[in-house]
Amino acid sequence: GSYRVNGQELINNSADTLMAAINKVAGESREQTVLIRADASSTHQAVVTAMDVVGRIGFKSISIATVNQPNNAPVASTGKSN
């Protein structure tokens, strides 16, 4: 699997890459809720890593959702469009 931010697959699964992608999409705002979606094939560790990254960036509101179909990913979405 792989991480996606606002639907865009990241170049690798490192926490640093995930952090950079979320920061790019979110800008300076940390008030919006971040939605982490994961399908059944996502590992627990991948979801925990995404949650950790989002928390370290400074977001206070995180929602977690499961999806029925495999989507190769935990997905972080800030609710902001590009």
Side-chain angles (χ1 to χ4, degrees), residues 12-57:
N12 62 48
N13 289 335
S14 78
D16 289 339
T17 300
L18 180 58
M19 185 178 289
I22 294 170
N23 276 324
K24 181 179 178 183
V25 170
E28 296 296 318
S29 177
R30 298 298 181 260
E31 299 304 315
Q32 68 256 25
T33 298
V34 175
L35 173 63
I36 298 173
R37 294 184 303 150
D39 64 36
S41 66
S42 298
T43 66
H44 181 77
Q45 184 60 57
V47 174
V48 169
T49 297
M51 292 171 59
D52 180 59
V53 165
V54 169
R56 284 191 287 144
I57 292 172

